Structures are given as C-alpha cells and as structure tokens.
Amino acid sequence: MLSRPGPRPLPNDDEPSDVVGSLRRIMEEHGVMPPERELAERLNIKRHQLRKGLQTLRDLGELEPARAGRRTSTTEATAQSGRLVLSTNPLEVMEMRMMLEPALARLAALRASPAEIIRIAQAAKSPAGMSPSQADQMFHRAIAAGSRNSLASELHLLLNQVQNDSRLRFAESDDETTAERIAQRDAEHQQIAEAIIARDPDRAEKCMWDHLAVVQRKIAARLGVGSMDGF
C-alpha cells in the first residue's frame, strides 16, 4: 500500500515570506485565522513552516498572540458573520466600530505591554508591499491585542470579518485608495499610536474616534446619507 505523500516543501524551507503572504490573504478573506491543520492542508506545507509564518504575523502585530484552549470553529465563525452580513449595512458596522475601538485604544494606552506598543507603533505606517486594507487592519488588530481584553478583541475580529464581506461593499477597494488617502490615514494612525506610547488614554480614545469618524463620513457620502457629525 502506497503511503500518502506529505506536504510539498517551499523552495526555501527557512523562508516563510510566501507563507506569510498566503496567510494574509486568508485572513483578509475570512476575517479570522483557520485552525493550523486546515491551514497546512490548504497551503500544502509542513506544520513548522506554517508556524513560522504565523509567528511572523504575530511579531508584526497582524495576528493576536496564540492562546491556549482556543478552539473557535472557522466554519461556525464564517456562518455567524454571514448571517450578520445579511441583516446589517456598512453604517451599522461603523457605529459598532465607533463604540468599540475608541475604548480599545483607551485600554491599550493603559494596559499594552512594551512589546505590544512597539507593534502598534510599527503598524502605524503602512508597510511597503502590503495592500491598504491589510495595513489598516493590521494596525487596528494590534491595538485590539494591546487592549488585553479578550472578549472585546473577539468582538473586534467578528466586526472585521463582517466588514470584509464583499456583499457589504464596505468601503473603497484597494485600487480606489489613493496615495494621498494612505498618507492621511497613516498620519491618523500615528496620532493614535503616539497617544498610546505616551500612556494617554483620553487622547488615544479621542484620536481613534476622530479617525473612525473620517471613515464614517466617507461611507455616508458614498451611500448618499446625510451628515453623521452628530453621532
């Protein structure tokens, strides 16, 4: 009886860059990271290569630190977000983000470890070669991780997954995101990061709210909705 062939190794067994790129695309597609077994089968790689890629994303602040005992079903999470997508709209998602994320920024200013603050500061500037949406999500996930509130972080991941669903047409696509907007967004991210670095929770909360208000106004304008300044 022939044995089942093992995963095909990458050209360079020690270079996880190809794996990292694939993992980023999976995260952007699903909003959550599937279990290791599913990832290894999907990417057709060995577990140690997969774990190198996952650790790289954690070091960059793009993925939350591994937590023992976490057994979230990707199929279940995808189904849950799918149900939410059918009953919501982009403005409702932004309302929830504006309720949750300023509080996460406040908590990060109070609780984030030095390593988490470094990741937040690094993520404030869009990395070269990363799509605008990936760069934006990396920064906000780094802050959620730095809040050290696991329940709030899970809610943030769920919101992110709903937001990423193409049926919502949540915001402009990466192709529509101009260099000017990326520079403006990075400046807004930098203000939030500086407040967290300074351990200034009030400023971190306000800067996050102001940043999200810009996104909310853009979405409202695209949908033809009146001013949201009174939110």
Side-chain angles (χ1 to χ4, degrees), residues 20-133:
V20 170
S22 297
L23 290 172
R24 281 174 175 153
R25 288 189 290 273
I26 291 171
M27 173 66 85
E28 188 171 10
E29 177 184 348
H30 295 285
V32 295
M33 194 65 79
E36 284 190 9
R37 178 185 57 78
E38 182 178 334
L39 287 169
E41 291 179 355
R42 177 169 175 174
L43 298 178
N44 196 25
I45 59 174
K46 297 177 181 177
R47 283 291 185 95
H48 79 274
Q49 293 172 286
L50 173 64
R51 286 166 181 159
K52 282 183 181 180
L54 291 171
Q55 188 58 51
T56 297
L57 291 178
R58 292 186 183 106
D59 292 342
L60 292 171
E62 299 180 44
L63 188 65
E64 291 189 51
R67 294 202 300 272
R70 183 173 179 176
R71 294 291 185 272
T72 302
S73 166
T74 303
T75 302
E76 180 182 346
T78 301
Q80 182 180 8
S81 69
R83 289 192 296 270
L84 290 173
V85 166
L86 295 176
S87 62
T88 190
N89 61 68
L91 289 177
E92 284 188 344
V93 176
M94 279 309 305
E95 286 174 358
M96 285 302 300
R97 288 190 65 188
M98 294 181 76
M99 292 177 193
L100 178 63
E101 294 197 47
L104 292 176
R106 166 178 282 275
L107 288 174
L110 295 169
R111 297 179 176 179
S113 69
E116 288 166 337
I117 287 178
I118 289 173
R119 285 195 289 270
I120 290 169
Q122 291 173 337
K125 180 174 175 57
S126 299
M130 184 180 292
S131 73
S133 60

Side-chain angles (χ1 to χ4, degrees), residues 175-191:
D175 291 338
E176 296 169 331
T177 305
T178 64
E180 180 182 4
R181 173 55 192 150
I182 293 173
Q184 178 190 2
R185 189 188 64 193
D186 283 358
E188 294 164 5
H189 285 178
Q190 186 63 44
Q191 289 180 337

